[in-house]
Amino acid sequence: MAAAAEPGARGWLGGGSPRPGSPTSSPELGAGSRSRSGPGSGPGSGPERSGARPPGPAAPSHSFRKVTLTKPTFCHLCSDFIWGLAGILCDVCNFMSHEKCLKHVKTPCTSVAPSLVRVPVAHCFGPRGLWKRRFCSVCRKGLEAPGLRCEVCELHVHPDCVPFACSDCRQCHQDGHRDHDAHLHHWREGILPSGARCELCRKTCGSSDVPAGVRCEWCGVQAHSVCSAALAPECTFGRLRTLVLPPACVRLLSRNFSKMHCFRIPGSAAPEPGDGEDSADGTVSAGPGREVGAPESGKQTLKIFDGSDAMQRNHFRVVTVPRLARSQEVLEAALRAYYIPEDPQGFQLQAVPTPAQPGDTEAAGKVWSVGPAEEEGCRAAPEAWVLRALPRTQEILKIYPAWLKVGVAYVSIRVTPQSTARSVVLEVLPLLGCQAEGVEGFQLVEVHMGSRQVQRMVVADEELMLDRLREIRQTSLRQMSQTRFYVAENSVLAPRVSLFVGGLPPGLSPREYRSLLDEAVASKAASVTVSHVYSAQGEPLQTEARSGQRSPSEQAGQPHPLASPRWGPRGAVVLDVACFAEAERLYMLVRDTAVRSRPLTALVLPEVLHTKLAPDCRPLLVFVNPRSGGLKGRDLLCSFRKLLNPHQVFELTNGGPLPGLHVFSQVPCFRVLVCGGDGTVGWVLAALEDVRHRLACPEPAVAILPLGTGNDLGRVLRWGAGYSGEDLFSVLLSVDEADAVLVDRWTILLDAHEPAGGEDSEADAEPPKIVQMSNYCGIGIDAELSLDFHQAREEEPGKFTSRLHNKGVYVRVGLQKISHSRSLHRALRLQVEQQEVELPSIEGLIFINIPSWGSGADLWGSDSDSRFEKPRMDDGLLEVVGVTGVVHMGQVQSGLRSGIRIAQGSYFRVTLLKATPVQVDGEPWVQAPGHLIISAAGPKVHMLRKAKQKPRKAGPPRDARADGAPAPEGDPK
Ligand SMILES: [Zn+2]
Ligand SMILES: [Zn+2]
Ligand SMILES: [Zn+2]
Ligand SMILES: [Zn+2]
Ligand SMILES: [Zn+2]
Ligand SMILES: [Zn+2]
């Protein structure tokens, strides 16, 4: 079960407990059922339940029974070892408890968890992976085989359990329906680090042996599930409060949108409409807690379907029952397998004709019957059965208000054969305190809370409710337990989706973009408007930041580093779409479309309600380049999404930095964290430069989480040589406490006289190009080495994951170059501030802005020199240094020597007489003969430098927040 939702806990809906201080509700309201079932009892024990299931002392609807333990077992409540042979086990969700702990159990059973969800929000499962020491949130068993993980909230489930996962993902935005009066803790039962201490009683509340303890998904507070009920319900976002983008300040209208559209989690298939099943062979095989395989002697295995939909798809669950099982036992087992908490008397099992005997109409109509004569029948019984609900002449239906200020979770009303959607709305509204004159503006909305997609559908006014309920049950009983009805105002249902489309040709007018899109994806004029145009968006230099797509020339086998760097600007637009179906269609279509042989990117953007941000809130805009540093980025993405609001974390391969900058453009004050190598940092800084004039916060300070090799800027700003798995919670604290420093930015104009392709290239000289630089620019030997290195990395990316290994390769590649001798000083001319400078005999010429080059080496050296100023990052000057060859470079790397000081200045012109390797911030290519002009680029950038002293007192951080670190040994494939 997903939620550690305690029915009695304040802050959880469904249990019907009104918020403290809210007006007392009338007996018909949700609170009424609370009084009937008593505090702490699950909602499944509402008036519609007959109570045929043994209620047990623990109320959250578990089906507890005493079991004999055959192996070491821990209690899911107190996480202690269960001594002795007796334990208490829930037959449905496998919750295991001490007998003495039973009366304290508040964790609801998986069977009732959906009804306790406060606001249904779908998960966003990534590809299957192996996660150690994780437990399935549905069946509570360990994930030994590859399982699925929600990339937003880190919920883990077995593939078979996915359809039953509770849609209680973090609600990270408002969808227009509701305006919360307060932000409450979002408790989630989970794997807490074993040293975790309870916020209330200060005792250990974590365990690595069983799922125990709860943690707030926003503030990170950890507690025993029992203790959490005693904590104040309001969540203050904890220590990261000033960095978090509060969910109340983000709006995303998302009727049928899954989070996939915002985060584009790779490798996960798009959910099928109306269903969340994930199963390669289309078969849900293992029942909860029951292994598949040959049944023990005296037992039989049955396939159970939960409705017509499951039969059509051949999705079934397997239950094993004694051969002589009574029909009641079989029925109960079947209901348990589908987590249906209702009274078995309302259901029956019907035989499904096996494919071998499709015409066997007798079997099709057969109902599993009881009595002594049927023992025969049991043995010969067809192995497939479908679970059906018996027709009901009336039932109690819960209607939820689509807003949360009422202080009431839901209203229970009686539905009769005459009840229509309209009559239900009319009956419910007065109970919710709405005046009669406004009722025309409300509708009944059916919400299916699938684990992968939450779907909303307006119910037609004249629809008979009993028919509708029967129809849903007929289709799928599981779907029925995940379906809810809301009354909602028509006005807030008006759709509006912001769709980002990137990868367009640059420099067009809004009208031209419009007609381009009309042509490419036939956007519907009536509902689509172009709201923003970014006509020239910088591209990353080369390999590091490259998206998965290769350009046609690369596909043709042309080695890309020898071509010109691909920094050609691209255009992007933001579309305003006033129709959900159209937005969905455009999103799907744009992803598969190329314009002028460039693939487009599509992303649904949320809207930041900047006026609602607290004055001291400076939310952090996080960019992660998952391609930096040996593909570690996926875990980083997931961890940042979990620690912060997922809507403030952007994956750079989804359209670059622009979507994030656009979303934050109206935020009055924000900061940026770039996770990637130097090239990625340069990419984000360049994009920032491009859109600065459109930002309410034109100079956000930028912090770095260095990934991969190099990382010279990260080093000088004290962020380290590269991320190696430190606790990301403390990384974020350091970002919060960092000081802003100024760093010069430089522009390099590349004016080639002939194309870079060489003699056989037919193209004319390319137009001048501009590259931004923040660290250094190398011409000659150092660029050549990183070029070779880049090519090696492109060929075998798997080999280049460790930073040390990378260094070794760098050296080995370099040794091969020693035999060459090319005298760079004769192949180029250098002017500093318009003055010709005589060059010594060198192989490489390097312009440095920061005191770190080639992974931390000090090229300029520390000696004072009367000819030059002491170098600074913000003095508006670059230092020019020469190296005589690979041996000299090696000596600089090991600190034995420094480079040959040549000049210092703010304006440089280099004339290349032949094609020469050039690198800017570590991104190399071969530059054709021509000019390079280096000059200061506009305003200096504000970078965040990590504070020198440890931000916190010595000793481990309180409660060992190790859960912020990426999942251990996460193996995405
Ligand atoms: Zn216990
Ligand atoms: Zn249970
Ligand atoms: Zn989730
Ligand atoms: Zn499971
Ligand atoms: Zn909290
Ligand atoms: Zn406690």
Side-chain angles (χ1 to χ4, degrees), residues 72-109:
T73 307
F74 295 86
C75 172
H76 290 196
L77 183 84
C78 66
S79 78
D80 287 342
F81 190 74
I82 303 182
W83 296 99
L85 290 176
I88 304 289
L89 176 75
C90 171
D91 265 341
V92 175
C93 70
N94 299 313
F95 192 101
M96 176 64 82
S97 162
H98 283 112
E99 230 174 322
K100 66 178 160 74
C101 288
L102 203 54
K103 59 179 179 292
H104 301 298
V105 173
K106 294 224 174 124
T107 313
C109 189

Side-chain angles (χ1 to χ4, degrees), residues 355-380:
Q357 42 188 152
D360 189 352
T361 46
E362 205 182 315
K366 195 172 157 195
V367 173
W368 193 298
S369 52
V370 231
E374 325 60 19
E375 284 170 20
E376 275 319 284
C378 272
R379 257 189 300 272

Side-chain angles (χ1 to χ4, degrees), residues 121-124 150-155 168-170 188 259:
V121 179
H123 296 287
C124 198
C150 173
E151 303 281 311
V152 172
C153 70
E154 286 189 3
L155 180 99
D168 71 334
C169 202
R170 295 170 76 195
R188 165 67 65 74
K259 287 186 178 136

Side-chain angles (χ1 to χ4, degrees), residues 807-943:
K807 243 181 172 167
V809 172
Y810 204 104
V811 171
R812 250 180 292 130
V813 173
L815 294 175
Q816 293 163 7
K817 297 284 154 191
I818 289 184
S819 52
H820 294 249
S821 162
R822 270 141 313 152
S823 315
L824 182 75
H825 53 283
R826 288 200 209 105
L828 62 77
R829 285 203 295 276
L830 170 67
Q831 279 185 359
V832 182
E833 326 284 13
Q834 320 277 4
Q835 300 286 315
E836 198 81 25
V837 170
E838 195 69 32
L839 291 175
S841 174
I842 51 170
E843 287 293 327
L845 186 69
I846 300 137
F847 300 79
I848 46 181
N849 187 41
I850 58 170
S852 176
W853 161 86
S855 304
D858 183 4
L859 199 49
W860 183 258
S862 51
D863 302 349
S864 59
D865 188 331
S866 57
R867 294 175 298 164
F868 303 110
E869 306 277 332
K870 191 173 187 300
R872 289 171 54 93
M873 290 189 289
D874 60 349
D875 56 2
L877 297 174
L878 281 182
E879 288 71 44
V880 187
V881 179
V883 289
T884 59
V886 172
V887 174
H888 186 184
M889 278 176 68
Q891 289 165 330
V892 174
Q893 294 272 7
S894 45
L896 299 172
R897 273 176 77 185
S898 47
I900 304 165
R901 293 179 185 178
I902 293 173
Q904 198 172 34
S906 60
Y907 183 85
F908 309 86
R909 173 190 287 261
V910 178
T911 309
L912 297 180
L913 303 175
K914 62 174 196 179
T916 311
V918 171
Q919 61 97 356
V920 171
D921 295 348
E923 301 290 326
W925 70 93
V926 174
Q927 177 64 24
H931 296 294
L932 263 79
I933 294 164
I934 306 178
S935 58
K940 304 173 197 296
V941 285
H942 296 248
M943 299 298 295

Side-chain angles (χ1 to χ4, degrees), residues 243 618 620 670-674 685 700-705 713-714 716-719 732 734-743 873 941-947:
L243 294 171
R618 291 184 293 156
L620 189 68
F670 67 96
R671 288 167 285 182
V672 177
L673 172 64
V674 183
L685 292 178
V702 180
I704 300 171
L705 183 63
L713 191 54
V716 299
L717 296 171
R718 301 193 192 122
W719 297 107
L732 288 174
S734 305
V735 170
D736 196 33
E737 286 158 0
D739 320 307
V741 295
L742 289 172
V743 176
M873 290 189 289
V941 285
H942 296 248
M943 299 298 295
L944 286 169
R945 184 169 61 190
K946 191 172 173 180

Side-chain angles (χ1 to χ4, degrees), residues 185-186 216 218-219 235:
H185 288 302
H186 185 146
C216 171
W218 289 97
C219 65
C235 178

Side-chain angles (χ1 to χ4, degrees), residues 730-774:
S730 2
V731 170
L732 288 174
L733 287 186
S734 305
V735 170
D736 196 33
E737 286 158 0
D739 320 307
V741 295
L742 289 172
V743 176
D744 290 325
R745 294 267 295 159
W746 299 85
T747 295
I748 306 175
L749 179 84
L750 303 166
D751 192 0
H753 291 159
E754 54 182 81
E759 308 79 41
D760 55 344
S761 175
E762 76 296 341
D764 291 331
E766 294 176 35
K769 286 175 180 145
I770 289 176
V771 190
Q772 305 267 354
M773 156 197 150
S774 39

